[in-house]
Structures are given as structure tokens and as C-alpha cells.
Amino acid sequence: MAAGEPGDLGGYYFRFLPQKTFQSLSTPETTSRLRQWSMLGRIKAQAFGFDQTFQAYRKDDFVMAFFKDPNVIPNLKLLSDSSGQWITLGTEVKKIEAINIPCTQLSMSFFNRLYDEDIVRDNGHIVKCLDSFCDPFLISDELRKVLLVEDSEKYEVFSQPDREEFLFCLFKHLCLGGALCQFEDVLSPYLETTKLIYKDLVSVRKNPQTKKIQITSSVFKVTAYVSVRGNLQPVNLITCY
């Protein structure tokens, strides 16, 4: 049972778990890659425990209770848009928007179509293209084109449901990187890092009836709003899952 008082949204208790680490974000190879992609220090994972069974139909109550919990407010880290530094939430959230993010993919074969459609060559090199811009991104290869340019020839290689998958979202974040990203010429660093982080964040189990592996995690993309001078404004979250 976590310390603190229960909220008024289902009585959830939350507790901060600072001892839970995410090794995928701290290995020397991942650190080096994140630095190259201008993402080092701009991506963070934290763990919090809770005391009741999660029920999907109550996701909004659950997420609101999380942001209102006295153990969350002083511990949840957010990346400040203005300073670029990690800060704590520090205040009570007044409103949330939580969007379900599908999380069903169990294999990196999900990305094999990049080879099949000549976006990546058989040797792993990403196919180059003439430079163009999709604000604020410079597009100089077919990979970034298929990720960003909706009217490009191969955009439909990934359907809209494919693009909503958590695995795809994570892959896209890493491929696009930060403001000073140095892009890779080959695909493997993106796939390897995506796989490491995905496995670190997502829980699986073997179905006792079918004996097949299935994902048990629920993923939401959250925008939280706080009151600023009487007006509701979104917290400066780059992306919060």
C-alpha cells in the first residue's frame, strides 16, 4: 500500500519506485546513440506502483488519479520546453486527455516491409533521396519520407493502424531524433534501440490456454492540463506515455 491519501477517483494509491531502473536507456551503446540523435537527456522512464487492478474502461479515472496523487506530484519528471531541463510536476493537474495507443506487436518483423519496399537496401543501408523539408525536419532519405510525408509514394507501406502502434511510435521518435540529430545511414541502430526500449517498457505473459505470448501492458498518450492564472494550459510534455 502506498503512502498518501486516496484520491476521489476510485481510491487509487500510487507509490514512486525510484529503485526500478530501465537499463535500455543507460547502456553505453544506447547512450552513444541517443547523443548522436540529439536525444540524450531528453527521454526518461519512471516507474510508479498502484494498489488496484487496472480496468481499461476506467482509464480516465486512473490517469487523473495518477496526476493528482501526492506521491506523483513531487516525483514525476517533465521536460521543460523553455529551459530544456527536467523538472517535477509540482502542481495538481485539473484535466487530462488520455488516448489509447495500441500495443500488440511482438516481433521486429513488423519493419521487414522497409526492405520489401526498397526503403532500405538488403545490406541495411537506408535509400537516399533528394533533400526536402517537412517542417521542422530535413528529409534526405526514404525512411524519413515514409515516416513523415503523407503524399509520398510509399507512405501507405504502413497503414494508419500500423502507425498508431506503440512500437511504431517509439521507432519514429528515435528515427527523427532531436533538433541536432545526426541521422544514421543504416537501419540497424534504430531497430536495435527500439527493440531494447520496447522490451524494457512492455510486459508480456504466456497465455495458459493457447500457450502463445501476449502483451499485458496498456499504453496511453497523455496530455495533462494545469491551471495558470485561472486558465487551463497543457503541461509542457514533449510526449508522455
Side-chain angles (χ1 to χ4, degrees), residues 62 65 222:
F62 175 83
V222 178

Side-chain angles (χ1 to χ4, degrees), residues 41-44 76-89 234-239:
R42 298 184 64 83
I43 181 171
K44 183 183 288 289
L76 181 64
K77 296 285 188 178
L78 310 174
L79 187 62
S80 169
D81 245 355
S82 56
S83 69
Q85 302 297 312
W86 289 96
I87 59 175
T88 56
L89 178 59
V235 178
N236 287 332
L237 304 178
I238 302 303
T239 300

Side-chain angles (χ1 to χ4, degrees), residues 156-168:
E156 293 185 359
V157 166
F158 292 98
S159 66
Q160 189 55 39
D162 289 335
R163 291 173 182 274
E164 293 169 359
E165 281 282 341
F166 185 47
L167 181 63
F168 183 91

Side-chain angles (χ1 to χ4, degrees), residues 28-40:
E29 190 168 37
T30 299
T31 299
S32 175
R33 288 171 177 171
L34 292 177
R35 181 181 293 109
Q36 178 180 333
W37 303 335
S38 191
M39 296 183 75
L40 188 63

Side-chain angles (χ1 to χ4, degrees), residues 96-134:
I96 59 96
E97 293 174 357
I99 301 171
N100 283 297
I101 301 297
C103 187
T104 64
Q105 297 300 317
L106 290 166
S107 170
M108 297 301 288
S109 62
F110 178 78
F111 296 105
N112 284 354
R113 68 196 82 179
L114 294 173
Y115 295 93
D116 299 337
E117 297 294 331
D118 296 323
I119 295 163
V120 178
R121 302 189 193 283
D122 289 342
N123 63 5
H125 281 261
I126 300 166
V127 176
K128 300 296 182 182
C129 68
L130 294 175
D131 286 356
S132 61
F133 283 91
C134 184

Side-chain angles (χ1 to χ4, degrees), residues 157-193:
V157 166
F158 292 98
S159 66
Q160 189 55 39
D162 289 335
R163 291 173 182 274
E164 293 169 359
E165 281 282 341
F166 185 47
L167 181 63
F168 183 91
C169 294
L170 186 57
F171 175 75
K172 182 178 178 179
H173 283 309
L174 295 176
C175 289
L176 298 181
L180 302 175
C181 179
Q182 300 173 56
F183 298 126
E184 300 285 349
D185 292 321
V186 295
L187 184 65
S188 56
Y190 295 129
L191 291 182
E192 291 165 4
T193 308

